[in-house]
Amino acid sequence: MAQPDSKKIFFENLSGAGKAIAVLTSGGDAQGMNGAVRAVVRMGLYVGAKVYFIHEGYQGMVDGGDNIKEATWESVSSMLQLGGTVIGSARCKEFRTHEGRLKAAHNLVQHGITNLCVIGGDGSLTGANLFKEEWSGLLNELVEQGLIEADAVQKYSALHIVGMVGSIDNDFCGTDMTIGTDSALHRIIEVVDAIMTTAQSHQRTFVLEVMGRHCGYLALVSGLACGADWVLIPEMPPEDGWEEKMCQKLSANRAGMKRLNIIIVAEGAIDRNNKPITTEYVKNLVVKCLGFDTRVTILGHVQRGGTPSAFDRILASRMGVEAVLALLETTANTPACVVSLCGNTSVRVPLMECVQMTQEVQKAMDQKRFEEAVKLRGRSFENNLKTYKLLAHRKPESELPTSNFNVAVLNVGAPAAGMNAAVRSAVRVGISEGHKMFAVSDGFEGFYKGQIKEVKWGDVGGWTGQGGSLLGTKRTLPAKHVEKIAEQMRKHNINALLIIGGFEAFESLLQLYEARANYEEFCIPMCMLPATISNNVPGTDLSIGADTALNAIVETCDRIKQSASGTKRRVFIIETMGGYCGYLATVGGLASGADAAYIYEEPFDIKELQANVEHLTEKMKTSIQRGLVLRNENCNENYTTDFIYQLYSEEGRGVFDCRKNVLGHMQQGGAPSPFDRNFGTKISAKAMQWVSKKLVETFRQDEGRVFANTEDSCCLLGMRRRTLVFQPVVQLKDETDFVHRIPKEQWWLKLRPLMKILAKYKTSYDVSDSGQLEHVVHNRPKDSDASVAM
């Protein structure tokens, strides 16, 4: 799309009037599909297009009749939280025939539909592309058969296709995450966490089969998220003799006082000769060789079920809106494209390039070119595999390098789910790099009191699934205690620091950097990982813990809305945490279908509050039964949660009644989500590798010590759009509002108009940052950890 001079395009200039868009879901269902359907319908209506549902996928398109229905705003209400797809999905053999596609073309033309949004897997999207290529020929045939008028060929001359990938397997090349994958991981991890408690009670080994006939993504990432002992996937079959190695590892873990073993097997797992590896085979192997009490659990369709996670709801909503934008901008020569995710950015990639690359993966596996198959899967898959190998397979002491460096790890600030996964990853990667790892209890308060002890590989076993901070964390900043902290660093000969925490951790690192002028003990490599539910740290789009908090908010909002089912019309006012940062309120509002979200970053007054009440009143009179309003805890000192509750109660009298709820610290608790477990694990591993590199670079042979006093030796590792970036903390000072403890610029503010549009507000939507068409082979920066989040 050519960029205009203004850098901004608004929907006053991008009208969809006269266009007809149809949306269908095809192939297997995936949680989040309903969110994508909802976003397509509401965005389509917002831009003035007619929008149609096609029920039962391609079968409904071939059969026509009542399967093709015009959608209204209200027809997608209350579906965001539902799993599966409410418009139905079906495998359709008839659409694979020329006659079937001819029928489908006739049915579309009868409704004036020339824009198709397809949500499905690679088979569904390939079918859509073939349909697009045959379109003009199909119309000519329909004219010859007298089924449509001759002028219809000109009027409906081109069919435009935009795809979104809905697949729990995440087996489609060209996107980091497909709709449904994160929710499937939630189901798997819920089961694994439950199994682990019973397995520990009886000292059992569990062999779990997860979905993934051709792709091991779910097995690999769930293995990372739960600290599995062994993972078997189709892309990387184990070396010959793996059975003995696996049994040795299981035995060693038991000898190390570990009371359970978890083995995760993808349903498509194979050995080097392309022979299937079944859960039954693995179970019998463990029983025969070790005599362990071993059980098999096949998760099956549980993974497809349940409500979509916060991540999938947001991803589906963003992709749905982007799909409509892409359809509005297509021309007769625009290739069919797929809306995909690269890092934290929406991009559009040519559909057939993605399909061809996906097919290349299978060819490589069939021809036993397994390393190539892993590379073709993409950087995300490759990084997950490297991280798993690094953390799961401990090298013998004799094979470890000896660096003679001591590295300390500590948590600072409020606890955040995923901190423990980050600590485990740091400790194990550090040991693998040959360092001695030290854990500091209770943040900098414990540091100056000398609460420092060496931590070994086995000490952090089972930490990934634990919420809160097992090391203990305090908000104490180091400035007042630098002398005592320097003394402890001398005493334990600490050569590098890894700090995991929120805004206090950022301020602490700045204070330590400034203390270098007076204390050489701080002239060492220092790195910070952002971990806070508020997501208010400068230098990163995402923080460890924020996803878990979002899921807590979304689950609670779902339950609260359900509590009003069957009662009279009701509006809920819900207060979220976040300090002055409105991330949780905004993104939680988008994921739960809120009508409004009040935040500090977007000032509001009594007129806006009044307008919101009137808007909600109108909606309540015509359609919806329940309303949801989120308020960030520090959005305004005068317009409190009580004030807003009383205002809505008074102004809505006679139309709806009101309830309020302060979510409080439940947002900070609970087991970490798969997203946070893996984000914490992966960025911590990357940080430790950076620390190792800096230690070697800054070691002075002549003095026999580490000395680092440059800006780039004191960094924050953050996710910036598509890449993980190490940024000197001193350079982030100018990007920070220290009074309100937030970054001066925040990417998620661009999601606010999207939330308003989906709540039926008339507002302008800036599309200057919409996805641009890219080639799939070029859409990954070289240093990117694509899909850092997963």
Side-chain angles (χ1 to χ4, degrees):
M1 186 178 76
Q3 287 294 309
D5 296 335
S6 67
K7 290 189 181 177
K8 286 189 179 182
I9 312 169
F10 294 97
F11 275 107
E12 287 81 351
N13 319 109
L14 253 179
S15 174
K19 291 209 175 199
I21 299 171
V23 58
L24 72 140
T25 53
S26 177
D29 64 311
Q31 308 97 318
M33 278 184 165
N34 288 324
V37 169
R38 171 180 177 266
V40 169
V41 169
R42 291 194 167 176
M43 193 65 173
L45 294 173
Y46 173 79
V47 299
K50 267 191 173 184
V51 187
Y52 292 86
F53 292 133
I54 299 178
H55 291 271
E56 310 308 329
Y58 287 120
Q59 191 65 57
M61 196 192 294
V62 172
D63 294 344
D66 289 341
N67 288 305
I68 302 175
K69 287 182 182 173
E70 190 170 350
T72 64
W73 195 274
E74 291 73 29
S75 60
V76 291
S77 293
S78 302
M79 65 188 281
L80 187 58
Q81 71 273 22
L82 300 176
T85 164
V86 298
I87 60 172
S89 182
R91 312 277 181 191
C92 179
K93 287 183 181 176
E94 205 175 344
F95 189 74
R96 295 177 188 173
T97 66
H98 185 78
E99 292 73 21
R101 293 192 290 275
L102 191 66
K103 284 183 191 175
H106 184 214
N107 289 327
L108 292 189
V109 169
Q110 283 183 314
H111 291 87
I113 298 167
T114 56
N115 296 281
L116 209 53
C117 185
V118 181
I119 307 165
D122 60 337
S124 305
L125 297 174
T126 304
N129 190 68
L130 177 62
F131 193 38
K132 171 185 165 69
E133 288 174 355
E134 290 183 348
W135 181 256
S136 58
L138 294 171
L139 294 196
N140 288 328
E141 278 187 60
L142 291 171
V143 170
E144 287 169 18
Q145 292 177 20
L147 294 171
I148 61 172
E149 298 295 327
D151 63 347
V153 176
Q154 185 64 34
K155 190 176 179 183
Y156 306 118
S157 59
L159 178 68
H160 306 298
I161 303 280
V162 172
M164 285 181 273
V165 190
S167 164
I168 68 164
D169 294 339
N170 202 31
D171 57 353
F172 192 82
C173 294
T175 185
D176 292 340
M177 286 291 277
T178 57
I179 296 167
T181 304
D182 185 65
S183 301
L185 285 168
H186 272 258
R187 299 296 91 78
I188 294 168
I189 293 304
E190 283 163 13
V191 172
V192 173
D193 284 353
I195 279 174
M196 284 172 102
T197 56
T198 183
Q200 280 181 324
S201 303
H202 298 276
Q203 293 201 49
R204 281 192 178 131
T205 296
F206 268 88
V207 184
L208 273 80
E209 180 183 290
V210 301
M211 282 186 168
R213 209 174 313 135
H214 303 294
C215 178
Y217 187 88
L218 288 178
L220 178 58
V221 176
S222 56
L224 257 180
C226 71
D229 296 276
W230 204 268
V231 172
L232 294 160
I233 59 171
E235 291 87 349
M236 188 52 70
E239 300 287 344
D240 292 340
W242 65 273
E243 293 96 336
E244 188 182 340
K245 286 181 183 174
M246 183 184 79
C247 290
Q248 282 174 355
K249 186 180 179 197
L250 298 180
S251 182
N253 284 347
R254 281 291 173 93
M257 302 305 289
K258 188 175 179 183
R259 293 179 59 84
L260 78 156
N261 302 112
I262 299 285
I263 301 164
I264 296 183
V265 183
E267 63 177 325
I270 51 172
D271 63 17
R272 290 266 152 185
N273 299 309
N274 283 353
K275 183 185 168 189
I277 300 174
T278 65
T279 49
E280 204 58 37
Y281 175 76
V282 175
K283 176 198 167 180
N284 293 336
L285 181 70
V286 175
V287 172
K288 181 184 169 187
C289 296
L290 301 173
F292 290 171
D293 183 1
T294 306
R295 305 295 165 95
V296 169
T297 300
I298 297 173
L299 299 189
H301 282 73
V302 165
Q303 296 157 86
R304 287 196 186 280
T307 59
S309 65
F311 183 96
D312 272 329
R313 297 184 197 196
I314 296 155
L315 178 66
S317 298
R318 288 176 72 181
M319 282 188 168
V321 167
E322 186 65 42
V324 173
L325 290 179
L327 285 171
L328 290 179
E329 295 166 21
T330 52
T331 64
N333 300 319
T334 306
C337 73
V338 175
V339 177
S340 77
L341 185 74
C342 179
N344 192 32
T345 307
S346 289
V347 294
R348 301 172 197 169
V349 285
L351 188 155
M352 288 317 293
E353 282 188 21
C354 298
V355 169
Q356 283 157 12
M357 189 171 277
T358 304
Q359 291 167 349
E360 281 296 316
V361 176
Q362 193 56 50
K363 275 186 200 168
M365 286 159 61
D366 292 341
Q367 295 167 9
K368 301 183 184 179
R369 293 180 283 117
F370 297 113
E371 287 185 12
E372 190 180 331
V374 168
K375 281 188 164 54
L376 286 167
R377 276 271 177 245
R379 202 164 272 273
S380 166
F381 192 93
E382 206 177 346
N383 285 327
N384 280 316
L385 189 57
K386 281 179 186 171
T387 308
Y388 169 73
K389 286 178 178 176
L390 204 58
L391 296 173
H393 301 295
R394 185 183 182 184
K395 291 178 183 174
E397 296 283 340
S398 57
E399 291 180 27
L400 289 174
T402 48
S403 69
N404 297 320
F405 292 125
N406 295 348
V407 181
V409 184
L410 68 159
N411 294 337
V412 177
M419 274 183 165
N420 297 322
V423 172
R424 169 186 176 268
S425 179
V427 167
R428 292 197 168 178
V429 173
I431 291 170
S432 297
E433 302 267 328
H435 310 317
K436 264 192 182 178
M437 298 301 296
F438 289 82
V440 182
S441 300
D442 297 335
F444 283 106
E445 191 170 308
F447 210 137
Y448 81 80
K449 290 177 179 176
Q451 294 169 220
I452 304 164
K453 65 175 183 180
E454 189 179 351
V455 59
K456 302 284 189 180
W457 185 281
D459 296 337
V460 290
W463 279 35
T464 48
Q466 301 282 330
S469 165
L470 292 171
L471 283 185
T473 182
K474 294 281 176 75
R475 294 180 183 271
T476 309
L477 298 179
K480 292 179 182 176
H481 310 286
V482 282
E483 194 170 330
K484 287 181 180 177
I485 293 168
E487 189 183 315
Q488 291 295 336
M489 291 184 78
R490 277 196 307 276
K491 182 179 173 182
H492 293 90
N493 189 28
I494 302 298
N495 306 120
L497 268 186
L498 181 68
I499 303 172
I500 302 165
F503 202 87
E504 287 90 354
F506 174 65
E507 289 181 299
S508 297
L509 203 50
L510 277 171
Q511 290 177 2
L512 294 183
Y513 175 80
E514 285 160 8
R516 281 176 168 180
N518 300 315
Y519 299 92
E520 285 196 356
E521 289 80 3
F522 301 117
C523 294
I524 57 172
M526 295 187 283
C527 185
M528 177 202 157
L529 302 180
T532 166
I533 69 165
S534 303
N535 199 30
N536 63 331
V537 178
T540 188
D541 290 353
L542 301 167
S543 298
I544 299 164
D547 183 72
T548 305
L550 278 176
N551 277 291
I553 291 167
V554 167
E555 283 169 26
T556 309
C557 287
D558 285 353
R559 290 183 186 183
I560 285 171
K561 286 200 286 186
Q562 195 177 44
S563 73
S565 180
T567 68
K568 58 184 179 180
R569 293 183 174 93
R570 183 164 286 169
V571 173
F572 297 94
I573 315 294
I574 297 176
E575 182 184 299
T576 67
M577 291 173 82
Y580 285 95
C581 181
Y583 176 82
L584 290 179
T586 296
V587 183
L590 179 61
S592 53
D595 296 278
Y598 299 116
I599 62 169
Y600 167 77
E601 292 91 341
E602 199 172 275
F604 57 96
D605 55 21
I606 195 69
K607 288 179 185 174
E608 187 172 338
L609 286 168
Q610 183 68 32
N612 291 158
V613 176
E614 289 169 4
H615 178 80
L616 205 46
T617 304
E618 285 305 306
K619 282 170 75 175
M620 286 282 186
K621 284 176 181 174
T622 56
S623 58
I624 65 167
Q625 297 293 311
R626 300 181 294 277
L628 188 65
V629 175
L630 270 62
R631 178 190 176 275
N632 166 243
E633 59 184 348
N634 289 343
C635 66
N636 188 294
E637 61 180 330
N638 294 315
Y639 299 139
T640 62
T641 302
D642 280 336
F643 177 90
I644 293 172
Y645 161 69
Q646 287 165 2
L647 176 71
Y648 272 74
S649 296
E650 182 61 34
E651 297 299 317
R653 197 186 297 275
V655 180
F656 59 81
D657 66 355
C658 255
R659 296 289 186 274
K660 64 176 177 177
N661 197 303
V662 177
L663 299 186
H665 281 76
M666 62 156 287
Q667 297 158 84
Q668 216 158 19
S673 66
F675 185 109
D676 280 329
R677 296 182 194 202
N678 287 297
F679 188 40
T681 298
K682 287 168 75 173
I683 70 167
S684 189
K686 190 173 179 74
M688 280 308 302
Q689 288 168 332
W690 176 88
V691 164
S692 296
K693 186 181 165 200
K694 286 290 176 190
L695 283 168
V696 172
E697 286 175 2
T698 58
F699 183 70
R700 294 183 172 181
Q701 290 282 357
D702 52 335
E703 297 175 31
R705 64 168 183 149
V706 172
F707 186 84
N709 65 349
T710 54
E711 287 183 1
D712 67 354
S713 63
C714 182
C715 285
L716 178 147
L717 174 57
M719 173 68 175
R720 284 286 179 102
R721 290 176 67 83
R722 301 193 188 193
T723 55
L724 279 172
V725 189
F726 289 96
Q727 302 147 97
V729 286
V730 72
Q731 291 178 18
L732 293 173
K733 281 174 77 173
D734 292 340
E735 298 179 23
T736 310
D737 174 353
F738 283 94
V739 175
H740 298 101
R741 298 158 58 85
I742 54 174
K744 289 177 182 174
E745 286 188 19
Q746 304 191 82
W747 70 272
W748 51 264
L749 286 169
K750 290 178 180 175
L751 299 179
R752 286 187 65 75
L754 192 153
M755 183 188 74
K756 290 177 182 177
I757 287 166
L758 298 180
K760 210 175 182 179
Y761 282 90
K762 290 183 172 70
T763 183
S764 290
Y765 184 68
D766 178 0
V767 297
S768 60
D769 197 37
S770 65
Q772 306 301 301
L773 191 66
E774 300 182 1
H775 292 288
V776 66
V777 289
H778 296 137
N779 75 342
R780 300 289 182 278
K782 283 184 182 177
D783 61 339
S784 169
D785 281 83
S787 180
V788 160
M790 298 297 254

